[in-house]
Amino acid sequence: MGKKIFVACDTNSINEVKKIIINTRTRKLKIGYKFGLEFINSKNGRSFISKLKKKIIFADLKLNDIPNTCISTVKAIKDLKVNYLTVHISSGLEALRGVKKVSGKTKIVGVTTLTSFNNKNLKQIGYTRSVKSLVIQQAKLASKAKLDAVVCSPHEVPYVKKIFKKEIITPGIRLSGDKAKDQKRITTPKKAFKNGATSIVIGRSITKGNIKKNIQKLINSLN
Ligand code: C5P
């Protein structure tokens, strides 16, 4: 499977993305680029992605809708030929299976409970179970729907990997010393891989400040 780093290109600026791509170039890491709702919905974002060549592309659409809408969306972005596409596992088994059926070569990534949630925030939206028990349930569903990967917090990998045997991707990563900001369940890259993540998603710790220096810091931290 090979450890991968997905750099979250959370911006609406094409110049910013170009800057990220140029400055993250390295032979020492396998790097992919993650584009979320912000960039894909920006004026020229979609067309920029369609022109990227020989890059690992991760479309973080976090689909969360009825099966028909999820399936139609997967068909609608076929031309982008993305390598990874995210769907919330909470969309349900029927939606997950439906998406998997039409996804072709694109790997379908099931998103468990967002890393910005803790038990208290979960209660606020009416979920009475703990993050852990919810994530375990979601990992089982992802496995049942034969998804290609799941996204979970680095702290959840130890029990997710017992249930879900394919790729495990973890966001909520900070280079040591960086602030948590809005994330609740975070750790360092090294610890995430040690826990059993196969890839990590890292945004602000790389893209804010001097990108080249941050990449070097990441490489050093993994040694
Ligand atoms: O800047 P930071 O490293 O916190 O960015 C994390 C990225 O991972 C963001 O693009 C966010 O949308 C994404 N993500 C997350 N938690 C999830 C799924 C995706 O933080 N459960």
Side-chain angles (χ1 to χ4, degrees), residues 8-10 34 36 60 62 111-116 151-153 171-174 180 182-183 185 201-205 207:
C9 301
D10 291 328
K34 185 177 88 71
D60 196 8
K62 291 198 179 70
V111 178
T112 61
T113 303
L114 295 175
T115 45
S116 55
V151 168
C152 66
S153 134
I173 303 291
R174 291 288 177 270
D182 54 344
Q183 298 279 29
R185 293 173 283 131
V201 168
I202 180 162
R204 288 162 289 183
S205 267
T207 58

Side-chain angles (χ1 to χ4, degrees), residues 26-198:
T26 170
R27 279 206 207 112
K28 299 201 174 122
L29 297 170
K30 194 168 188 188
I31 292 196
Y33 297 92
K34 185 177 88 71
F35 300 102
L37 295 170
E38 181 182 4
F39 188 72
I40 296 178
N41 286 302
S42 67
K43 200 159 189 296
N44 300 308
R46 191 192 193 283
S47 117
F48 176 84
I49 296 171
S50 73
K51 289 179 209 131
L52 280 176
K53 298 264 181 312
K54 292 185 191 153
K55 297 274 181 289
I56 303 172
I57 307 293
F58 186 121
D60 196 8
L61 290 184
K62 291 198 179 70
L63 302 179
N64 195 4
D65 217 313
I66 59 169
N68 185 56
T69 305
C70 290
I71 292 165
S72 312
T73 307
V74 175
K75 289 182 183 163
I77 70 151
K78 272 258 147 107
D79 62 296
L80 290 183
K81 297 193 173 74
V82 301
N83 305 87
Y84 294 82
L85 171 66
T86 54
V87 185
H88 272 288
I89 296 171
S90 58
S91 301
L93 189 58
E94 193 186 333
L96 299 177
R97 281 186 169 148
V99 160
K100 194 54 198 133
K101 221 175 185 171
V102 297
S103 59
K105 283 185 187 152
T106 300
K107 289 188 174 176
I108 298 299
V109 185
V111 178
T112 61
T113 303
L114 295 175
T115 45
S116 55
F117 277 113
N118 58 21
N119 288 331
K120 191 176 158 217
N121 312 137
L122 272 185
K123 271 218 177 92
Q124 278 172 344
I125 59 161
Y127 286 68
T128 51
R129 286 165 66 174
S130 65
V131 171
K132 181 173 175 180
S133 120
L134 212 51
V135 171
I136 287 175
Q137 178 87 22
Q138 290 163 335
K140 285 181 188 159
L141 208 60
S143 186
K144 197 166 184 183
K146 300 195 168 62
L147 300 191
D148 304 285
V150 294
V151 168
C152 66
S153 134
H155 301 291
E156 282 130 26
V157 180
Y159 45 89
V160 168
K161 73 178 179 196
K162 288 190 191 143
I163 302 163
F164 189 83
K165 302 291 179 190
K166 291 190 256 177
E167 281 190 62
I168 300 179
I169 305 168
T170 66
I173 303 291
R174 291 288 177 270
L175 291 176
S176 57
D178 284 0
K179 289 208 177 76
K181 302 234 168 93
D182 54 344
Q183 298 279 29
K184 299 273 162 34
R185 293 173 283 131
I186 58 165
T187 194
T188 61
K190 190 162 192 165
K191 184 83 200 304
F193 285 123
K194 197 170 161 240
N195 282 359
T198 59

Side-chain angles (χ1 to χ4, degrees), residues 17-31:
V17 172
K18 283 185 183 161
K19 197 174 120 192
I20 293 171
I21 293 178
I22 289 168
N23 289 295
T24 51
R25 218 171 263 160
T26 170
R27 279 206 207 112
K28 299 201 174 122
L29 297 170
K30 194 168 188 188
I31 292 196

